[in-house]
Amino acid sequence: MTTALIPQPAAAVIGASSGIGEALARRLARAGYAVALVARRADRLEQIAAAIEAEHGPGRARVYVHDVTQTAEAPAVFQRLLADLGRLDVLAYNAGRQLPVALDEYDFDKDRQMLAVNTLGALAWLDLGAALFERQRAGQLVGVSSVAGDRGRVGAPAYNASKAALNAFLEALRNRLTRHGVHVLTVKPGFVDTELLKNAPRAFWVITPEQAAEDIFRALQARRQVIYTPARWGLLMLIIRHIPSFIFRRLKF
């Protein structure tokens, strides 16, 4: 319940038009947050905002159309949503791109597109949230990465690199911001039933975006540092991370 003494918390979800981002925005709204929905697809954002407000009341969702590859525009969008919401408690970066890459393909344009969304867009938005949360000595940053960032696989070099860079960046932010009371969560999903799944050569342990969002929400409540979703990926990736390189390079995934 929101009162003058207990104000309504607010969250911004970057990449909120589908998949995990949409599910997380809906989950946060259900928990009482006012939510800023940020993504490229205006029509889809308007649909999600309308659904949230129909369920939870007016003023609970706001739409901000933004392409995360246009990093120079991020500060203005951030300031606008901050002014509209009046406060910010959670900033979650979920935008992601994975393009199909053949084993004999070396395409810098595809690589650039993936890093622009998965890494540079993330840095632009997470830096904004980090600066704000350090000043207010409170707040939670979420970066939705991937199990793909744990190892350099033959099938997706640039995608792996983009997520590995995001993992390292989030860890560095965590080490910097913990002393200021700021929580930083790294999320490493396996296969989730989203648009990205169509580019996976094989998939198993597939979960819904809603399950991933619930895992993220619980991790926020518990102030976890790193989670795999579903959790069984943590054990599998522990094994994969310790496969010797001379064996790993022979694998076909």
Side-chain angles (χ1 to χ4, degrees):
M1 179 178 180
T2 301
T3 69
L5 296 178
I6 308 175
Q8 183 178 61
V13 180
I14 319 305
S17 60
S18 63
I20 296 175
E22 176 186 349
L24 180 59
R26 291 176 181 268
R27 182 64 183 89
L28 289 165
R30 195 161 75 248
Y33 285 77
V35 184
L37 308 172
V38 183
R40 291 181 302 166
R41 294 182 287 177
D43 56 344
R44 184 63 188 138
L45 291 180
E46 293 289 354
Q47 292 171 4
I48 297 167
I52 289 174
E53 296 200 334
E55 184 173 359
H56 304 292
R60 293 293 296 277
R62 295 176 180 270
V63 168
Y64 301 88
V65 179
H66 169 67
D67 182 341
V68 297
T69 66
Q70 304 302 308
T71 53
E73 298 174 5
V77 179
F78 181 74
Q79 290 301 323
R80 190 163 75 250
L81 71 83
L82 186 58
D84 291 342
L85 295 173
R87 60 181 289 165
L88 192 63
D89 303 277
V90 174
L91 188 150
Y93 189 89
N94 170 74
R97 189 163 196 194
Q98 182 178 14
L99 298 173
V101 178
L103 288 178
D104 60 351
E105 182 179 10
Y106 304 91
D107 187 328
F108 174 72
D109 186 59
K110 285 185 176 181
D111 296 346
R112 178 190 55 77
Q113 290 180 57
M114 287 186 278
L115 267 77
V117 174
N118 302 345
T119 308
L120 296 180
L123 269 58
W125 276 93
L126 292 168
D127 273 343
L128 292 166
L132 171 67
F133 292 161
E134 180 178 309
R135 289 195 303 272
Q136 66 188 29
R137 302 190 70 82
Q140 296 183 286
L141 290 173
V142 181
V144 179
S145 182
S146 170
V147 296
D150 280 8
R151 200 79 195 258
R153 297 178 292 113
V154 298
Y159 184 75
N160 295 165
S162 71
K163 294 300 188 176
L166 178 57
N167 291 343
F169 183 71
L170 288 164
E171 181 181 15
L173 285 184
R174 182 180 304 114
N175 294 339
R176 178 181 288 195
L177 294 171
T178 296
R179 68 198 69 185
H180 300 290
V182 179
H183 170 226
V184 179
L185 170 63
T186 303
V187 181
K188 299 181 179 183
F191 296 113
V192 183
D193 189 11
T194 68
E195 294 176 7
L196 293 184
L197 194 63
K198 65 184 179 183
N199 292 325
R202 62 182 68 87
F204 55 93
W205 295 344
V206 179
I207 62 172
T208 64
E210 289 73 23
Q211 181 179 338
E214 185 63 32
D215 287 345
I216 295 169
F217 182 75
R218 291 180 180 178
L220 283 170
Q221 290 184 306
R223 298 182 75 86
R224 298 274 303 279
Q225 296 185 15
V226 180
I227 63 163
Y228 290 86
T229 176
R232 64 179 75 100
W233 275 97
L235 177 58
L236 177 58
M237 296 312 297
L238 177 65
I239 295 169
I240 288 177
R241 288 197 305 273
H242 287 85
I243 296 176
S245 182
F246 73 90
I247 296 175
F248 191 78
R249 71 173 67 108
R250 297 176 183 273
L251 302 179
K252 300 298 184 181
F253 65 91

